Amino acid sequence: MLLKKGDNNEQVKQLQIKLGVDPVGNFGPKTEEAVKKYQAANGLFADGIVGDGTWNKIMGTAPAATPAPAVIPPSSFKLDKLKGHIPDSVITAIPDTAAKFNITNVLRLAHFLAQAGHESGQFKATSENLNYSSKGLLGIFPRYFNNATAEQYARKPEMIASKVYGGRMGNGAEATKDGYKFRGRGYIQLTGKDNYTQFDKTVPEDILANPDLVSGKYALMSAAWFFDKNKLWGICDKGADQATVTAVTKRVNGGTIGLPDRIKHFNEYYNLLK
């Protein structure tokens, strides 16, 4: 279920009747505004788009069981439809990534691309930016810095990462500089020696000796490894509604930062691919 501005069908008419809007069957500005108002009043994400969650709540029906999406080979994805929407380098990497890490349907691919794109500034950032000022260090890493040490470490990414990530996530102590060597890379920031070691088992090159491969050749594949390792595909399979995007976001982000952008791009990619 996905109804949005511009749609014209019988379901829109049913929706309008429930919302008290003139039931003309055309999803125009008045219907969109009525949907947003209803969503805001009922604890839903107020974007004016009617997914399964909004539809079921408005219509007073229980959510229907979602059938498992059909498994399709990566070669069947309509990747040409993504041209101009995501970088060509990402499109080129999708088939191998999908085959290796269980991206077996359009739902999974759309959810994955929406999350990876948002986390990387639309596939632009592939390495963690650690060039923090002293004020930034005190705001973001108060556990590791005080006024004196923040001044000492400010604008020194290697020192910052070595301190903040040292002695955890499989990294050696600060002096080893493992924290910097295994800093966040890829479209969904693979971080820490433990994660690099696990990802290393899935590719032919020696990632531990060449971690920059994660920010280059394996920027997309490392993100898919994260999805696969954390069993996000089962959540993706639940549907194309806002509730599912929100659930995936919480597992990726730890919260809902940037949720509207993630929803926007999920809808964009899903409608292009399906």
Side-chain angles (χ1 to χ4, degrees):
M1 166 61 65
L2 184 66
L3 297 176
K4 61 186 184 302
K5 191 175 179 180
D7 288 345
N8 191 329
N9 53 49
E10 185 61 31
Q11 288 175 315
V12 173
K13 186 179 292 186
Q14 294 175 37
L15 176 72
Q16 290 168 328
I17 291 171
K18 285 285 188 178
L19 292 174
V21 178
D22 189 16
V24 296
N26 182 54
F27 198 127
K30 290 183 179 179
T31 303
E32 182 182 49
E33 186 59 34
V35 170
K36 286 182 179 179
K37 184 176 179 180
Y38 181 90
Q39 289 170 325
N42 288 273
L44 300 168
F45 185 68
D47 63 352
I49 298 172
V50 180
D52 289 337
T54 298
W55 174 267
N56 290 326
K57 202 164 185 72
I58 291 175
M59 305 305 290
T61 57
T66 303
V71 174
I72 61 174
S75 58
S76 296
F77 290 140
K78 303 173 183 176
L79 298 182
D80 59 307
K81 300 290 185 180
L82 295 173
K83 284 190 174 292
H85 297 267
I86 64 175
D88 287 348
S89 59
V90 176
I91 296 173
T92 300
I94 288 173
D96 286 346
T97 298
K100 184 180 283 285
F101 291 112
N102 296 311
I103 304 178
T104 57
N105 57 60
V106 167
L107 262 179
R108 292 184 180 189
L109 181 56
H111 278 297
F112 170 63
L113 292 174
Q115 296 292 333
H118 181 83
E119 290 291 316
S120 60
Q122 298 313 310
F123 304 102
K124 294 175 183 175
T126 60
S127 186
E128 185 176 8
N129 181 6
L130 291 152
N131 188 30
Y132 292 108
S133 66
S134 58
K135 182 179 179 180
L137 291 175
L138 291 171
I140 298 170
F141 303 115
R143 176 181 172 186
Y144 298 95
F145 298 98
N146 55 36
N147 287 330
T149 56
E151 288 293 338
Q152 180 185 352
Y153 282 76
R155 303 300 181 189
K156 298 173 182 175
E158 184 176 32
M159 289 176 59
I160 292 169
S162 298
K163 182 177 181 65
V164 171
Y165 296 141
R168 61 193 185 96
M169 298 184 290
N171 296 330
E174 179 179 354
T176 68
K177 299 184 179 179
D178 275 356
Y180 184 72
K181 183 177 181 180
F182 301 111
R183 66 192 182 277
R185 292 184 179 87
Y187 292 134
I188 299 183
Q189 302 288 281
L190 186 72
T191 308
K193 188 175 182 179
D194 281 346
N195 283 324
Y196 275 76
T197 299
Q198 291 180 55
F199 179 62
D200 178 62
K201 296 174 183 177
T202 70
V203 295
E205 294 92 341
D206 185 346
I207 293 297
L208 297 180
N210 302 282
D212 283 334
L213 285 169
V214 178
S215 58
K217 182 177 180 179
Y218 295 122
L220 189 71
M221 195 171 283
S222 62
W225 173 84
F226 172 87
F227 263 64
D228 200 53
K229 175 198 173 190
N230 290 285
K231 298 179 169 51
L232 269 70
W233 303 130
I235 301 175
C236 296
D237 287 344
K238 290 183 178 179
D241 58 352
Q242 298 159 29
T244 303
V245 179
T246 302
V248 175
T249 298
K250 287 179 178 178
R251 290 291 296 275
V252 171
N253 176 258
T256 56
I257 294 172
L259 182 59
D261 182 70
R262 297 171 202 260
I263 291 173
K264 171 189 170 184
H265 285 292
F266 167 76
N267 288 332
E268 176 187 358
Y269 301 147
Y270 184 63
N271 286 326
L272 287 167
L273 290 164
K274 68 181 181 179

